[in-house]
Amino acid sequence: MKEVYVVGITGGSGSILGIRLLESLRNYEVHLAVSESAFRVLELETDYTMEYIKSLAPYIYDDRDIAARISSGSFRFNTMVIVPCSISTLGKISSGISDTLITRAAAVALKERRRLILVPREMPLSTIVLENMVKLSRDGVIVAPAVPGYYNRPKTSEEMVDFVVSRILDLMGIENSLMKRWKSG
Ligand SMILES: Cc1cc2nc3c(=O)[nH]c(=O)nc-3n(C[C@H](O)[C@H](O)[C@H](O)COP(=O)(O)O)c2cc1C
């Protein structure tokens, strides 16, 4: 099967992580959905234009379009990543609520037993959120919080972003050299 990825960007802080991931996936078939809140957060915390974001994915869908291609189990893809994944979207997925295209595509990934990676950005975490994460993890979901390592002594926020994106690409099984690996010489 051709490598096909579904990327969701929701309204957690860290929109830059989603953008950097899309930049790293330029050579792949990427299907992108961006939530309404994500558009708001993107506008508040980055200078990226919608045109630029749209240029990063060959297929982009409205998060309200629950009839889009990626909403069906018959649409085949390798991995779905939601980055950043808001606590709200994470909670909905863990409860089986699929009222947006992103939550529907995630429910499809779950039922079809496909790889689903959620990258939440929140701190601290309530017991409810932790329980939601455990529930998802038990169902095979990879919960990969947007937490950079400090052992490479990052000097810029870009390096910290690249660390997190590199680890996401690793989880997707995609070769990358976005960060210097520990003791790699
Ligand atoms: C500037 C800003 C920053 C936010 N940061 C976070 C965050 O880090 N994590 C989070 O879970 N929600 C965050 N939120 C709240 C979500 O955007 C909000 O819960 C929204 O309803 C999520 O909707 P969505 O999951 O459909 O994108 C933030 C909101 C704003 C305006």
Side-chain angles (χ1 to χ4, degrees):
M1 185 173 93
K2 199 167 128 200
E3 286 174 85
V4 178
Y5 299 104
V6 174
V7 175
I9 300 183
T10 63
S13 182
S15 332
I16 182 70
L17 296 165
I19 291 168
R20 196 80 182 102
L21 180 71
L22 292 173
E23 288 174 341
S24 308
L25 293 176
R26 277 185 196 275
N27 296 328
Y28 298 93
E29 183 178 315
V30 172
H31 294 253
L32 171 69
V34 182
S35 78
E36 267 187 65
S37 307
F39 279 121
R40 183 85 183 96
V41 176
L42 262 158
E43 191 178 54
L44 288 168
E45 63 181 27
T46 77
D47 292 325
Y48 290 102
T49 61
M50 248 346 97
E51 286 61 41
Y52 178 66
I53 293 155
K54 285 180 179 162
S55 76
L56 293 174
Y59 302 91
I60 177 156
Y61 310 98
D62 187 320
D63 195 30
R64 289 165 302 187
D65 183 7
I66 43 93
R69 223 170 135 193
I70 59 171
S71 69
S72 168
S74 64
F75 176 77
R76 297 200 297 171
F77 60 88
N78 300 71
T79 301
M80 175 173 185
V81 185
I82 306 183
V83 51
C85 181
S86 75
I87 290 315
S88 167
T89 289
L90 187 142
K92 283 189 199 175
I93 299 167
S94 78
S95 322
I97 296 170
S98 335
D99 62 346
T100 60
L101 180 58
I102 294 173
T103 50
R104 168 63 190 164
V108 167
L110 277 175
K111 82 182 172 81
E112 302 291 335
R113 306 291 194 261
R114 296 194 195 131
R115 187 158 29 183
L116 174 61
I117 303 170
L118 305 183
V119 186
R121 207 277 358 143
E122 186 65 288
M123 75 87 82
L125 298 171
S126 67
T127 308
I128 289 175
V129 170
L130 289 165
E131 283 177 354
N132 287 340
M133 288 179 176
V134 169
K135 208 168 146 192
L136 289 163
S137 179
R138 286 208 177 104
D139 216 353
V141 176
I142 300 174
V143 181
V147 180
Y150 296 90
Y151 48 80
N152 280 342
R153 304 189 180 200
K155 296 191 178 46
T156 63
S157 59
E158 285 78 12
E159 284 178 62
M160 294 166 102
V161 165
D162 280 353
F163 181 100
V164 174
V165 174
S166 174
R167 298 298 289 118
I168 298 169
L169 291 165
D170 285 351
L171 291 166
M172 297 170 80
I174 295 178
E175 277 298 318
N176 72 91
S177 52
L178 277 184
M179 67 162 217
K180 187 176 171 297
R181 292 173 194 279
W182 180 239
K183 293 195 173 171
S184 60

